[in-house]
Amino acid sequence: MKQNLQLYNTISRKKEVFEPLHAPHVGMYVCGPTVYSDVHLGNCRTFISFDLIFRYLKYSGYKVRYVRNITDAGHLEGDRDEGDDKFAKRAKLEQLEPMEIVQKYTLGFREVMGMFNTLPPSIEPTATGHIIEQIEMIKTIIANGYAYEVDGTIYFDVEKYSKQYNYTILTNRNLEDMLANTRELGGQDDKHGRLDFALWIKAKPETLMQWVSPWGMGFPGWHIECSAMSAKYLGQEFDIHGGGMDLAATHHTNEIAQSEACSHHQPAKYWMHTNMLTVNGTRMSKSAGNGFLPGELFTGNHPLLRKGYSPMTVKFFMLQAHYRSTLDFSNDALDASEKGFRRLMNALSLLPKLVASEQGEVEIDPIRVNCENAMNDDFNSPVVIAELFEAARIINTVYDGATKINSTELDKLKNLMNDFVVDVFGLKDEDTSNAELNDVLDMVIALRKEAKENKDYATSDLIRVGLQNIGIQLKDSKEGTTWSKS
RNA sequence: GGUCGAGUGGCCGAGAGGCUUAGGCUCAGCUCUGCAAAAGCUGCUACAGCGGUUCGAAUCCGCUCUCGACCUCCA
């Protein structure tokens, strides 16, 4: 187990040494998607980042329980704690049951995450599956005096809570100003203070998703599900809580408040937030209408895209930036990542063909140390990629016979590439070659070889250019001709 | 207005007081090659601006300019 991992904690606003509460076990909770519509690329970035963290923690020897929820109830359109929730609205639009909406977009989400080759979480709980736990938690919060009922709706009393606890611990905002501002703006609400938020919301007769509670028919507020489910599966105190940066100010702030009001201590030791994906400098979001859907991305069928990009290209593109930096989505950047990724994959495919020498002139250990140091420094994947390109250069020069490697170092090289490219990054080659195509191309290459031997370069070039035009690139070498999709 | 963060070479993107010319892409040249492609080598040496601290600053401090996120639903 590595004891020198450092990660950035939003609460302290600095990097801290990672010390799990119960090593070697690590509990990590990440706020998952609200499944009322297709995920867009910005959503994916967060989950790809936490997949990287999950994978590296496992690489480091930790036994990780990774919980990522599916929000399938209680997420309202605005923060007014009134009106229908997003599922009901979408259900009306698509003329489906709310749970059909949930099912449809849950499956879609998992399919996309599968294409990005992310690992499934250890537990993927849903809000609707944990209504009882949420009700129990709300009852405790009321009993502890931090919530009040108004006509079947339960509100969290932020002002009272803030007298004993630090409500703005995550964002460092000035609570006095916030309270002052919101008092002026309020008025027609049932809440005592506009900072107060709903734990449980009274259902109208026509509300599609509603449950029995001590306060009548209703449904849970958005924030309570994460507090209830993280406590259930990871305990009242666990190691890492993560999510997108946009969740810190409201959702995570309220989660901490709920948990403290219930159990009197903070739920998570480390809070990690991933930065936003931007398009032309502004945040990709559903409401702004600048989000790419997976299908649009892969086919290139979108006004802002010149062409399509494969899931692995996009994932590689994301890993080339640090998770706490904004990342701007552009065609030029994607093109560069596509070529870089191909280069890395080509090197990887040469690895089994390398031949060891008696004497070697390269050492692999320093590269692994650099990779681990980079990951231990708050999961700095861009630096790891730079190291992997150094390894790729070694692979290429060994393959060309320009560098010699002994068998010990060759094994280390293979292990290094497997550990970081496959296990930690979850990257894989996407060449969708099949046996039939292989056979056909072998035959074509044999014909071209014959033409070349007869110095019939007109024919050999005809074959090469013809294949190139349909996206297959031939590469001649001393050992023969190979091909790849270009 | 408040809170936080960012401005790095043609592009993307790490670094955070001296010893990275990070890395990828692009471009130019060379090697290899029947021609290509791939690969390798070489070159393009940047840190928004102005001051300050320091023997030394992209990296610390101050000011200025520009941009973004959050403070309203959003990963």
Side-chain angles (χ1 to χ4, degrees):
Chain A
M1 215 161 343
K2 308 291 187 289
Q3 291 299 328
N4 45 359
L5 172 63
Q6 289 201 304
L7 49 81
Y8 183 89
N9 191 349
T10 306
I11 287 207
S12 62
R13 282 171 281 282
K14 60 188 176 205
K15 289 180 196 170
E16 297 179 14
V17 174
F18 179 59
E19 289 168 339
L21 296 165
H22 310 289
H25 299 282
V26 171
M28 176 163 82
Y29 187 94
V30 173
C31 291
T34 302
V35 286
Y36 72 102
S37 67
D38 291 306
V39 284
H40 63 76
L41 218 53
N43 305 119
C44 295
R45 185 187 184 199
T46 291
F47 304 125
I48 287 173
S49 294
F50 282 105
D51 183 61
L52 171 76
I53 290 165
F54 179 41
R55 287 167 175 272
Y56 187 67
L57 288 172
K58 295 210 295 184
Y59 167 88
S60 299
Y62 293 111
K63 307 214 178 313
V64 189
R65 180 179 290 169
Y66 172 24
V67 180
R68 187 184 65 203
N69 66 298
I70 298 274
T71 297
D72 61 349
H75 203 154
L76 299 180
E77 278 291 317
D79 197 32
R80 310 285 310 202
D81 296 330
E82 59 193 27
D84 256 343
D85 70 18
K86 296 183 174 191
F87 306 98
K89 187 175 177 186
R90 191 74 182 200
K92 284 174 188 161
L93 208 64
E94 298 194 25
Q95 298 197 315
L96 295 169
E97 275 289 316
M99 284 313 277
E100 284 183 290
I101 295 294
V102 166
Q103 176 75 349
K104 175 179 172 183
Y105 292 110
T106 298
L107 291 177
F109 170 68
R110 292 198 182 125
E111 187 186 348
V112 171
M113 294 322 289
M115 283 193 271
F116 284 120
N117 198 30
T118 62
L119 299 172
S122 319
I123 303 176
E124 202 169 25
T126 62
T128 55
H130 297 76
I131 299 294
I132 291 169
E133 287 83 352
Q134 296 179 70
I135 289 173
E136 287 305 311
M137 189 161 187
I138 294 168
K139 279 159 73 176
T140 305
I141 295 172
I142 294 173
N144 289 347
Y146 293 105
Y148 55 90
E149 177 183 349
V150 179
D151 187 26
T153 292
I154 311 296
Y155 292 103
F156 188 91
D157 190 336
V158 171
E159 197 162 349
K160 179 168 183 192
Y161 163 82
S162 66
K163 289 196 168 75
Q164 294 200 35
Y165 298 97
N166 181 0
Y167 181 67
T168 56
I169 188 167
L170 269 184
T171 52
N172 204 28
R173 287 169 299 176
N174 185 323
L175 185 68
E176 290 308 311
D177 290 351
M178 291 169 72
L179 288 169
N181 282 337
T182 52
R183 273 194 205 102
E184 288 166 22
L185 291 168
Q188 72 273 52
D189 280 323
D190 291 334
K191 306 179 204 178
H192 295 350
R194 272 291 299 279
L195 245 37
D196 294 358
F197 55 92
L199 300 174
W200 185 264
I201 300 159
K202 181 184 183 179
K204 295 172 185 159
E206 69 272 22
T207 300
L208 293 170
M209 301 171 89
Q210 50 177 294
W211 291 266
V212 179
S213 81
W215 319 284
M217 296 301 289
F219 54 94
W222 174 37
H223 314 297
I224 194 72
E225 58 167 294
C226 289
S227 296
M229 296 190 292
S230 62
K232 171 157 181 155
Y233 297 112
L234 298 173
Q236 290 184 334
E237 286 179 288
F238 54 95
D239 298 300
I240 298 172
H241 191 129
M245 258 180 197
D246 51 342
L247 297 183
T250 304
H251 183 57
H252 291 163
T253 290
N254 290 344
E255 267 191 73
I256 292 175
Q258 290 165 347
S259 294
E260 284 194 311
C262 181
S263 70
H264 303 294
H265 41 66
Q266 281 191 30
K269 189 171 178 186
Y270 306 94
W271 283 84
M272 299 185 71
H273 290 98
T274 57
N275 215 323
M276 298 292 106
L277 186 67
T278 60
V279 181
N280 295 325
T282 56
R283 174 183 169 187
M284 181 182 284
S285 74
K286 285 177 183 174
S287 50
N290 63 349
F292 297 107
L293 263 38
E296 296 169 336
L297 174 70
F298 304 147
T299 60
N301 184 21
H302 188 284
L304 289 171
L305 290 171
R306 280 201 297 258
K307 50 171 280 200
Y309 299 96
S310 73
M312 283 301 116
T313 295
V314 175
K315 183 173 183 175
F316 185 74
F317 164 70
M318 289 178 177
L319 293 173
Q320 276 185 301
H322 189 260
Y323 78 90
R324 280 193 294 116
S325 300
T326 55
L327 175 61
D328 199 54
F329 192 92
S330 72
N331 287 281
D332 286 345
L334 264 295
D335 284 344
S337 290
E338 186 172 57
K339 290 185 179 169
F341 178 64
R342 276 261 60 84
R343 186 171 144 80
L344 192 63
M345 285 302 116
N346 283 338
L348 202 62
S349 70
L350 292 178
L351 205 44
K353 301 176 186 167
L354 298 191
V355 180
S357 309
E358 286 286 311
Q359 303 291 322
E361 26 182 354
V362 289
E363 285 185 26
I364 304 304
D365 284 343
I367 299 179
R368 180 179 289 270
V369 168
N370 289 344
C371 288
E372 289 179 351
N373 286 344
M375 287 303 283
N376 286 337
D377 182 16
D378 198 27
F379 308 99
N380 197 329
S381 55
V383 169
V384 175
I385 288 176
E387 293 296 324
L388 293 178
F389 277 113
E390 169 63 16
R393 197 183 59 75
I394 291 172
I395 291 170
N396 287 327
T397 55
V398 170
Y399 182 73
D400 288 343
T403 302
K404 295 199 185 313
I405 188 167
N406 66 36
S407 60
T408 308
E409 297 299 317
L410 180 57
D411 283 345
K412 285 181 179 175
L413 181 58
K414 288 176 178 173
N415 289 335
L416 174 81
M417 295 301 277
N418 188 65
D419 285 349
F420 280 91
V421 178
V422 179
D423 287 347
V424 175
F425 283 172
L427 293 169
K428 61 181 182 188
D429 211 341
E430 296 173 309
D431 261 356
T432 51
S433 55
N434 55 50
E436 223 166 45
L437 182 62
N438 271 326
D439 291 346
V440 171
L441 280 168
D442 282 351
M443 210 170 82
V444 173
I445 287 169
L447 286 173
R448 176 162 170 275
K449 189 182 174 205
E450 200 177 309
K452 280 174 67 176
E453 279 165 358
N454 296 331
K455 301 252 192 276
D456 181 4
Y457 295 123
T459 300
S460 75
D461 286 357
L462 191 71
I463 292 170
R464 178 168 53 74
V465 174
L467 286 175
Q468 189 162 20
N469 287 340
I470 59 172
I472 289 169
Q473 177 71 55
L474 295 183
K475 295 174 201 168
D476 294 334
S477 73
K478 285 165 194 154
E479 289 78 25
T481 300
T482 57
W483 62 274
S484 65
K485 295 202 173 180
S486 53

